[in-house]
Amino acid sequence: MRLKLLEGQIGLPGIGAVRQNAAGLLPYAVVDEAGREIEVFSVYLRDLVLTDMSPLTVRSYGNDLLRWWRVLELIGLPWDQAGRLEIEVMVGWMRSAVNPQRRGSGARLMNPRTGKRPLTEGYAPATINHALAVLASFYEFHARFGRGPVTNPVPESPGRRARLAHRSPLEETPGIRRAPLRQKAAVLAPRSIPDDLVDELIGALRTSRDRALVSLYLSSGARASELLGVRGDQVDWARQRVWVVSKGSRTLEPVPASPESLQHLAAYFHEHGTPGPGEPIWRALHGKPRPLNYHAARRVLQRANTALGTDWSLHDLRHTTIDRMVTDPNLTLPEVMAVTRHRRVSSMAPYLRPRIDEVFQKVQEHFAAPRPEPKLTPGYDADDFTVVFGG
């Protein structure tokens, strides 16, 4: 059983869930197949809430804990008796199994129009590392109260923690050996959409709502969930901005809106009604009136991708905005950070690297340029060079 699970030959049982709570301190809870909260997880997640972690972070941690609980249920081992061998089984399964969110995602080849690498069918290295970090924190929390195994089942590298402690965010991250079982994550440059393909994308959208949504993403640089949460009284038409609840600070902050995006937004409101104060501005256009959620917004982009043969994502729109700002000589890096709400300079480093397609374009221009004719340094006589070196 363990070997088959480690090699991804069998799937995890579809029992339990991460349930949203309508009331109480805990926004999300991990429940078993009977719908009962798994208390050992709830105690830990409640501590995260008290340390001011966002509800979305609690839900993310809950999904990692649910996966771990399913692994232990299949193996038949209580949580407080798990060791490194069980952690290795989970890592092996995540490396080998098919990620249900990636199943049927399309061809395995690079998209020729966007140049984006295809997503693998398994779990990404960053997802595996996140799961390990969550479990390490979970067992460390319970160990402080004398619960759980004596040794944390998730191996760690003490030297790494010591070297990263008290490091300035302005300093480059030192090269440190990864902790055991941690995956090597590729460092990829953010992929932005070229200007001509942006115009093509806007033209492929079907409705004024979709054009308003995508153009606001492109001008504001807001994250997907941030822009979807905008209310009717959070659109400042006069100063060309909208107010979003920032993912990091969870406070209401302004982001810019281009004149074009506001024109599309006005057309959308004219066709479907202007939302009142406190009402979400993004709504479903068919069926029962309801707010537009993340999956529906992603579907808007997927329909355009199908028509154009591209594979852009909602986060690519944010990358495009930041890339445009970074390459604008009229904007300084602190100003770009203020607009995009990045708190650390190191988080902007990926956007400061040269884009490979732009570099290749310059190289092709170099190949096509005529070679410069050799010229004598002023002060030398051409006839003297001919006598000495020949004509």
Side-chain angles (χ1 to χ4, degrees):
M1 172 70 72
R2 287 174 180 255
L3 181 59
K4 289 184 178 180
L5 190 59
L6 185 143
E7 294 179 349
Q9 297 180 15
I10 56 176
L12 296 180
I15 55 177
V18 176
R19 183 187 65 195
Q20 184 174 10
N21 292 330
L25 176 66
L26 196 60
Y28 293 91
V30 183
V31 298
D32 60 16
E33 63 273 20
R36 299 182 298 264
E37 281 192 23
I38 303 177
E39 185 61 24
V40 69
F41 293 154
S42 294
V43 171
Y44 169 66
L45 294 176
R46 200 170 290 118
D47 183 71
L48 295 183
V49 175
L50 294 174
T51 54
D52 199 29
M53 282 197 173
S54 70
L56 292 180
T57 301
V58 174
R59 184 181 66 178
S60 173
Y61 277 44
N63 285 322
D64 286 317
L65 294 172
L66 175 63
R67 184 190 302 112
W68 176 237
W69 179 74
R70 288 173 173 173
V71 169
L72 294 178
E73 285 291 300
L74 192 59
I75 294 176
L77 194 68
W79 74 274
D80 54 357
Q81 295 181 21
R84 172 167 172 166
L85 291 178
E86 285 69 44
I87 296 292
E88 290 177 353
V89 169
M90 185 197 72
V91 171
W93 181 83
M94 295 184 71
R95 285 173 55 93
S96 307
V98 175
N99 186 341
Q101 295 185 356
R102 303 277 179 84
R103 185 181 287 115
S105 58
R108 299 294 99 201
L109 302 176
M110 183 186 74
N111 188 290
R113 301 210 63 204
T114 65
K116 292 177 63 175
R117 297 184 180 184
L119 297 174
T120 60
E121 292 187 345
Y123 290 84
T127 303
I128 299 176
N129 292 340
H130 184 271
L132 290 173
V134 170
L135 293 182
S137 173
F138 166 75
Y139 280 101
E140 182 179 351
F141 168 79
H142 283 289
R144 292 200 296 266
F145 303 97
R147 300 188 291 262
V150 176
T151 303
N152 196 319
V154 182
E156 65 175 13
S157 174
R160 178 182 177 86
R161 178 173 296 184
R163 290 191 64 183
L164 292 179
H166 310 296
R167 182 181 62 86
S168 169
L170 299 178
E171 298 177 7
E172 186 177 352
T173 303
I176 304 174
R177 185 180 179 86
R178 285 178 283 123
L181 301 182
R182 266 59 172 193
Q183 310 296 297
K184 183 178 181 180
V187 180
L188 302 176
R191 195 73 188 179
S192 60
I193 309 176
D195 291 343
D196 57 335
L197 296 186
V198 167
D199 296 336
E200 181 186 65
L201 174 61
I202 297 295
L205 299 172
R206 299 178 178 179
T207 66
S208 57
R209 182 206 63 184
D210 297 349
R211 289 187 287 272
L213 180 65
V214 171
S215 57
L216 262 177
Y217 273 127
L218 287 167
S219 63
S220 67
R223 298 173 180 89
S225 59
E226 294 173 344
L227 192 60
L228 291 175
V230 173
R231 306 290 171 172
D233 55 345
Q234 294 169 354
V235 180
D236 189 342
W237 299 91
R239 291 189 288 181
Q240 297 186 359
R241 64 181 67 178
V242 295
W243 293 78
V244 301
V245 178
S246 182
K247 177 184 176 182
S249 64
R250 300 198 298 283
T251 58
L252 202 60
E253 298 185 64
V255 293
S258 67
E260 180 187 11
S261 65
L262 292 178
Q263 289 174 5
H264 290 308
L265 189 64
Y268 162 51
F269 287 172
H270 177 73
E271 294 173 7
H272 300 280
T274 301
E279 295 180 354
I281 67 173
W282 308 112
R283 296 154 292 180
L285 302 181
H286 306 287
K288 182 180 178 181
R290 61 194 184 280
L292 194 73
N293 59 26
Y294 173 81
H295 297 289
R298 187 172 64 175
R299 184 65 187 136
V300 167
L301 210 55
Q302 288 173 341
R303 286 194 293 264
N305 281 331
T306 301
L308 299 174
T310 53
D311 57 355
W312 304 119
S313 68
L314 289 176
H315 208 61
D316 288 336
L317 304 179
R318 175 171 166 84
H319 291 326
T320 302
T321 308
I322 299 175
D323 182 71
R324 286 175 169 179
M325 292 182 181
V326 167
T327 55
D328 189 336
N330 296 318
L331 291 174
T332 65
L333 187 59
E335 290 170 341
V336 176
M337 293 177 63
V339 173
T340 59
R341 291 157 290 121
H342 281 99
R343 306 304 181 193
R344 296 187 177 185
V345 176
S346 58
S347 61
M348 297 296 297
Y351 299 98
L352 302 179
R353 301 190 188 102
R355 289 173 48 179
I356 192 64
D357 50 351
E358 293 180 353
V359 174
F360 280 9
Q361 179 64 30
K362 291 180 179 179
V363 171
Q364 293 300 327
E365 293 174 359
H366 166 75
F367 291 153
R371 292 190 177 185
E373 293 290 337
K375 296 182 180 179
L376 293 178
T377 303
Y380 288 92
D381 192 316
D383 295 334
D384 291 342
F385 265 79
T386 302
V387 171
V388 175
F389 296 105

